[in-house]
Amino acid sequence: MFKDAESVKEKFPAGFLAYEEFRNQPTIIVKPEAVFEVLRFLKDDPSAGYDLLVDVTAVDHGAGLSDNRFSVVYHLCRTAEGKRLRLKAFLNADKPVIESVVPLWLAANWAEREAYDLMGITFRNHPDLRRIMLPDSFEHHPLRKDYPVEGRGERDSFIKYNPDDGL
Amino acid sequence: MSTLEIIVTCIKVLAVFTALQMAVPVLVIMERRGVSFIQDRVGPDRCGPFGLLQPFADAAKLVFKEDITPRHVDKLLYFLAPAFCLIVPTVAFAVVPFGSGIRIGDFTLSFQIADFRVGVLYLLAILSMSSFGVVCAGWAQNNKYGTLSALRGVAQSVSYEIAMCLAVVAVVMSTNSDSGVSSTAMSTIVADQGGTYLGFFPKWNVFTQPIAFFIFLAAMYAETNRTPFDFVECEQELVAGYMTEYGSMKFSMLFMGEYIAMALQSALLVTFFLGGWTLPWVDLGDGSIAGGIASVIVFLVKWFAVAWLYIWVRWTLPRLRYDKLMDLGWKALVPLALINIVATAFVGVWLRS
Amino acid sequence: MGLESRLPEFVTTRLDWVVNTARRYAVWPMPFATACCGIEFMAAASSRYDLSRFGSEIMRFSPRQADLLLVAGRVCLKEAPVLMKIYRQMAEPKWVMAVGACASTGGMLDVYGVVQGIDKLLPVDVYVPGCPPRPEAIIDGFMKIHKIIGGERIADRKHGD
């Protein structure tokens, strides 16, 4: 097993769920409640020492699922050697809420806003959780599996040019 | 002044003003075709033969465009700023000597509108107003781009004005008038550059004061806000800088003001350093009609060469970073100009002893 | 705009011709380049295809000084009010050219967040198809704009729009 995965399993026996490896890409699966502590350990521990958060993203595994519908995926990198790690946490459909990692890495700010905007995952304690790519008045979370690609008419509703407006 | 002199001066003013307004299209087409030549393109060639009517098409289009006054601008300054930008460089042309005089009987028709004894001081005073237009234009717009560009513009102008004035002081110090004393009259500065050293080397100030020449050259680009010092209107950062909220005729006045300032600085470089209207091997100041007309042609040829240099440098060199620009002005050019003045003083005293 | 209606027909036709010719040879584009079509527009303005032959070398990035709004690339839903604001800031007479498939109809981006053609927002004069259009196609679009300008009358444009 990957060395860092072993140390996570030792330190957090309750939160650690599984370890997978595919083509030399290690993935650790943890419980959502333990994500913040595990990431803090991975960042601060000198043997792990992941100083770069590459991305925070989310996956929707199917509209019909109610348990483990969403997963939040963190990609970490240790810049001194270039070793990379993926961390996953599964969330349920009725309450997709997870702790924000902005206190650890500031790079998570916009990445978590994107996950909120497009997938609807709420990040607790995020300093500024609002939509980043879509207009603030947009009502749904488009990248979920039950949302049609063409949208539900939002792309046609905006103010059109009227030359007699007087503006 | 007699009535004849007043009438002649008024005609000269009208002539110079008209010539300046005609100089702007010439500079525009020189720039457009010149830059296309440098960039291996064709440039405007559809409008008129060889594209020569292109600036007139631009001007006519701007005249017929809607004149907008946005709601959020400072009305008085918005109205006045283009006027400042256009008038200040035009007014400075009053002391530029275009040619030698033509003597008709008792009357000397000089090709200079006003030959003050303190012509250089007048010129430097007017030049320091040039940043006024930029600041008014930038402030009046009431938006970030304008304010930022106006602030940068005025800081840059003020720094390089000092270097330019010190360079001109050195030129004035090395000018000998007829009475053997240095003079600040522009016509004396030019007339002193006639003649040659050793029979063939022109007595131009570019050879007697080379350091001042290069300082003036660098400061000249900075005063007119042209690359490599064109922060004021760099498109990548400031949209259009101090010209952002101006459209149609107001924009065209700002545009023309910039080209007239370019023409003015070229004329000054020619006057102070390249011998003005004098040709070193022929005496054009004898008062004959042929001499007068030839001197004007000589001036225009030199002026065109310097204007081409302006365009050439603009499209060759990249822009300086702002702090490097200020460093260059204060830490390099001003000390160099001061050292130049001291050295000129030493050499002058040594030569006279 | 009352004077033109009182002058005899001959004078206004000559005046229209002069004004339209001046406007045709000095179309200053404002490149609203959002995506890949913007690169093709830059290619059209550079050495080999050279848009400056027609006087369109001066690209003013301030809408107040530009004549032609060149929308090159997709326009997102969040960007639509910005595009409207820029169009309103332009001074009459103004024209709009939609460069590429995304600006004309939404192109391959038939999705929730992209405006399906800027003609849902603004009055467009010329559409240039292609994904991205070749520079020659963009120059052809400019020729069509010139033709539209040539056929206008002064009285067509209301000031104060």
Side-chain angles (χ1 to χ4, degrees), chain A residues 12-45:
Chain A
F12 303 93
F16 181 91
L17 285 178
Y19 172 77
E20 288 168 2
E21 189 164 324
F22 176 73
R23 287 200 164 192
N24 288 333
Q25 290 179 14
T27 304
I28 304 180
I29 304 181
V30 293
K31 286 204 182 120
E33 304 85 41
V35 154
F36 190 81
E37 290 303 321
V38 171
L39 283 173
R40 195 215 296 272
F41 166 71
L42 285 170
K43 179 182 177 210
D44 293 334
D45 185 51

Side-chain angles (χ1 to χ4, degrees), chain B residues 63 81-82 87 89 91 106 119-120 137 246 255 276 295-296 300 305 310 316 326 332 337:
Chain B
V63 165
I87 298 301
V91 160
D106 248 355
V120 168
Y246 290 94
F255 200 60
S295 66
V296 174
L300 283 176
Y310 245 112
T316 308
M326 298 306 267

